[in-house]
Structure formats: structure tokens, C-alpha cells
Amino acid sequence: MIDKDFTLEEKKITLGLAFIFSLRMLGLFLALPVLSIYAKNMPGSDAFWAGLAIGAYGLTQAIFQIPYGLWSDKIGRKPIIISSTIIFVLGSFLSAYASYIENIHLLVIGRFLQGIGSVSSVVIALLADMTREEIRTRAMATIGASIGMAFAFGMVLGPLIASYFGLTGVFLFTGILGLISLPYVIFGIKEPPIVRHHEDAEFTSSYLSVVLKDKNLLKMDFGMFVLHMTLTAVFTAVPLIFAHQHSIDLKDIWKIYLLMFFVGLTVMVPSTIIAEKKGKIKQVKMLGILILILSFIMFLIFKENFYLTVLAIVVYFTGFMMLEPIMPSLMSKYAKPHVKGTASGVFNTAQFVGAFVGGAIGGLLLKVDESAKLNFLFLIVLTVMWLILVSTMEMPSKGVKNVTN
């Protein structure tokens, strides 16, 4: 993503901010593949509390996403980034302590704090302050790519760390990652000479009604909500299926996630190229959703068979990796230039709310029905609704930057 069009200062700030944010997101993703196994077995806990612990970060990210950006316009970017990093570190260490004493309620509080500390809006605002408009999209894409890699590494490293050091070790490692980034945040990032509001990168309240009246943008928001709802819902139920129904040891479960990651990454690259370069974005998007639906049907029918359950999680992650990179790109094509920041703010908020709802509803359904059939039936219904909505959307043609109603 970084090319010769970037100045040296723009390269430094882009890579630095990508480093900071990817460490935060890696910390969140490390716990995702193993958290439900540990949390469900804590005293006073059940599947609902386990799901809540998984999705809790999404609620506070959603709540603070827009206010953080607005506050940083008034008091500066660095104070917000520094304070949020400290909150993230504290939330990680509190989660580690809660895991050590096996207190599920304290763990959920720690996860809420992690969400408060991992809000992205101020990082994006600072990047907009420090880059020229003509390269800003590529700079933001660099941060997006770093988050994607953090997600992939977290899915493999989390089970490995947990197998040796337990959930406490996972959150301690997460807190250490935050501490590593703190010196760079304090000393390595310059406060921009002028803090200004960027309509193309930040939320602008006066444009909210415009964004909420755009049917295509609302459908994109619903899609992002569903996509990340499936993520936390799946990783609330599936680790428990592997651990309890198939008796998979944590020392071995990382191998399943490694296979899942490599297959998903292998499919993601060509599918993204076909979507973006060949003008097949609608076809790729609908195929990705169909693959998600197929995976949920496989979980529903074959979850008692270990090998077919492994195949189902690989199929799910393949669909997820096909959709994740093209969703923000497609959203930006629908949004008019002056409302892109606002559209992105609503879009990201929908993503975080989806992560919270997926964990909470997924855990609740699992508490009602330990077989997880209700979970996958629920996911099938929602993804079918999403597929129907996508089929009614007019997709932007190759080379077209914006589509209006």
C-alpha cells in the first residue's frame, strides 16, 4: 500500500499508526478463538456470560467511536490516543487478573475497558491530519491491511499462548502489546500542526441524516453488522463444540485455525482482485454470503463429525475473508465524497454493535440449547436476509467511484 507517492513523513506516520492499531486489534483477536472455553467454566458463569465476554469490546467500541473523534477535534489527537492506550492496557491486565481468579463478571468489565481503549476513529483522524488527500485512501487501506493481518495472527497465536499459559497468559500478552506501543504513541507521534475536521475521514453530525436516508449505505451497514455478528457468534459456539463434543486439546486446536487461516487467505487475494479489478464485486459478495450460509448448514448437520466440523469452520472463514476486505471499499463507493467520513463512522459502529450482539445473542441461544442448533439456524436466517438485500442493490461499475440512489 505504501508507494513512491508517499513522502517520508507520510510513510512514517502511516506505518506507525498501523503498528499501534494492529497491536491493539491483535490483543482483542488473541482471545477470540479460546475465550468461550475458559469463560464458560468460570464459577457463576454460563454460555451467556461467555458470549458476553467475547462480544463486550464491541459495545464500548460502538459507544465511543464517534465521541472520541469529536473530542479529538477539540483537545487534540495525541491526548485521546495516549489515554485510550492506557485504558486498553488496564483493561487487558484486569482481564488477566479476572481470568486468574476466575471471576467472569470482572472479566466482562475488563473486556468493556479493552473496547474503550481500542477505538479507531482518532487514529484515522490523525492520519487524515498528517497525509495529503490524494494518498489518504491508500494510507487508510494500509491500516486496514494491518488489522487484517492482526486478526489472522491472533486466531493462531491465541490458542498457542493459551495452551501454555492459560487465558491469563493471553491477556497478559495483550497488555504487554499495549505497553510496547505506548512509548511510540507518546514520543514517536507528532501532534499535527493544525487539528482540523476532515469530512472525508471523520464523522460530521450534520451529514448523519443524509447517510441514514441512503438505502444503499443502510444495506451496507446491515451487512457489516451481520458479518461481524456471525464472527463472534461462531467463535462463541465452535470452540465449545471442539473442546467439549470432540475433546480437542488447546495444544492442538491452533492447527485447525492455522488451516482455516491459510485457506481463507489463499481465497481472499484472488477474490478481492476479481471483485475490484474485474468489476465483479456483486458476484463476489453474493458468493461470499452463500459460502457463509453453506458453513452454517454444515455446522447444523455435521457438527457431530469432527472432520466435517473442521471443514465447516474452514468454509466459514473462507466466506468471511472474501467479504471482509471488499465491504469497506464498497461502502466508500456508495458514499458521496463529502459524507464519506460520516458514512464510515456509521458503518464501523454497525460493525462493533454486530460484534457485541453476536457474542451476547450467541451465548444466550447456546444457554437455551447446548447443541448450538438454534445458533446456526439464527445465523442462517440473518445471512439469507442479507443475501436478499444484496440482490436488490445496484452495484457500482468498474471505475465508478460513487453510486447514488
Side-chain angles (χ1 to χ4, degrees):
M1 297 293 180
I2 301 290
D3 55 38
K4 62 183 181 180
D5 293 334
F6 285 71
T7 66
L8 180 60
E9 189 63 29
E10 287 171 334
K11 288 180 182 179
K12 287 172 60 179
I13 192 67
T14 300
L15 293 174
L17 291 177
F19 167 74
I20 291 168
F21 201 66
S22 63
L23 284 186
R24 291 188 191 181
M25 298 311 293
L26 175 60
L28 289 176
F29 295 139
L30 282 168
L32 185 62
V34 297
L35 183 52
S36 65
I37 297 174
Y38 286 96
K40 186 175 181 293
N41 294 325
M42 290 182 179
S45 183
D46 55 28
F48 170 71
W49 280 101
L52 193 61
I54 287 176
Y57 75 92
L59 180 61
T60 43
Q61 275 188 309
I63 292 172
F64 285 88
Q65 177 76 12
I66 291 172
Y68 267 11
L70 298 176
W71 292 340
S72 73
D73 285 343
K74 296 180 179 180
I75 67 173
R77 314 300 189 197
K78 280 189 66 173
I80 300 292
I81 296 177
I82 292 171
S83 59
S84 64
T85 303
I86 293 172
I87 292 171
F88 177 78
V89 170
L90 292 175
S92 300
F93 287 145
L94 179 61
S95 298
Y97 176 68
S99 303
Y100 179 73
I101 66 173
E102 297 190 325
N103 187 314
I104 184 62
H105 306 101
L106 201 59
L107 176 59
V108 170
I109 293 172
R111 293 285 284 171
F112 278 133
L113 287 176
Q114 281 190 309
I116 295 173
S118 55
V119 172
S120 61
S121 57
V122 185
V123 174
I124 298 300
L126 178 58
L127 187 66
D129 285 333
M130 302 294 282
T131 55
R132 290 163 294 141
E133 188 174 352
E134 56 264 32
I135 58 95
R136 193 170 296 151
T137 300
R138 279 172 286 167
M140 291 180 182
T142 301
I143 290 183
S146 72
I147 295 172
M149 293 306 296
F151 174 71
F153 281 113
M155 297 302 296
V156 177
L157 286 177
L160 272 175
I161 296 171
S163 67
Y164 291 100
F165 305 105
L167 191 60
T168 302
V170 172
F171 285 118
L172 281 175
F173 185 66
T174 297
I176 291 169
L177 289 177
L179 285 176
I180 289 172
S181 70
L182 196 55
Y184 180 79
V185 173
I186 297 173
F187 303 110
I189 294 179
K190 297 178 181 178
E191 186 71 59
I194 300 176
V195 174
R196 59 188 183 275
H197 188 83
H198 304 270
E199 293 180 346
D200 64 328
E202 296 182 72
F203 178 85
T204 305
S205 58
S206 59
Y207 294 144
L208 180 59
S209 61
V210 177
V211 170
L212 295 181
K213 290 178 182 177
D214 189 311
K215 293 180 181 179
N216 285 321
L217 288 176
L218 286 176
K219 290 175 183 178
M220 290 300 303
D221 296 337
F222 177 77
M224 201 60 170
F225 167 85
V226 172
L227 182 62
H228 281 261
M229 192 211 67
T230 68
L231 180 67
T232 49
V234 164
F235 283 98
T236 297
V238 172
L240 292 172
I241 293 173
F242 280 131
H244 297 158
Q245 192 162 320
H246 298 297
S247 302
I248 301 300
D249 194 285
L250 275 175
K251 291 183 180 179
D252 297 315
I253 202 171
W254 68 271
K255 299 173 185 177
I256 297 172
Y257 294 135
L258 184 63
L259 173 65
M260 177 189 77
F261 162 64
F262 276 122
V263 174
L265 186 64
T266 301
V267 174
M268 181 193 74
V269 175
S271 67
T272 303
I273 292 173
I274 292 171
E276 296 286 355
K277 303 296 184 183
K278 305 294 183 181
K280 303 291 185 181
I281 198 163
K282 181 172 185 176
Q283 292 90 330
V284 170
K285 187 175 180 180
M286 293 186 71
L287 178 60
I289 299 171
L290 283 169
I291 290 173
L292 293 185
I293 295 170
L294 174 62
S295 74
F296 301 145
I297 294 173
M298 292 176 67
F299 279 124
L300 193 63
I301 299 175
F302 303 122
K303 66 182 180 62
E304 294 180 3
N305 183 297
F306 169 70
Y307 295 104
L308 291 177
T309 303
V310 171
L311 180 60
I313 193 68
V314 171
V315 171
Y316 168 77
F317 199 68
T318 298
F320 182 89
M321 292 292 276
M322 287 177 66
L323 292 163
E324 180 71 3
I326 66 172
M327 290 288 285
S329 172
L330 184 56
M331 183 279 299
S332 69
K333 288 180 173 67
Y334 282 120
K336 297 176 182 178
H338 66 290
V339 302
K340 278 189 178 182
T342 305
S344 179
V346 175
F347 183 75
N348 290 332
T349 299
Q351 170 188 330
F352 301 139
V353 172
F356 170 72
V357 171
I361 298 297
L364 182 61
L365 293 176
L366 200 60
K367 181 180 178 180
V368 173
D369 175 24
E370 291 187 356
S371 72
K373 288 183 179 180
L374 285 177
N375 294 63
F376 298 120
L377 284 171
F378 176 66
L379 294 179
I380 289 170
V381 170
L382 275 184
T383 44
V384 167
M385 289 174 58
W386 182 19
L387 182 64
I388 293 171
L389 282 177
V390 171
S391 69
T392 66
M393 296 175 72
E394 178 187 351
M395 290 291 154
S397 304
K398 182 182 178 183
V400 176
K401 293 185 178 180
N402 298 100
V403 175
T404 57
N405 289 328

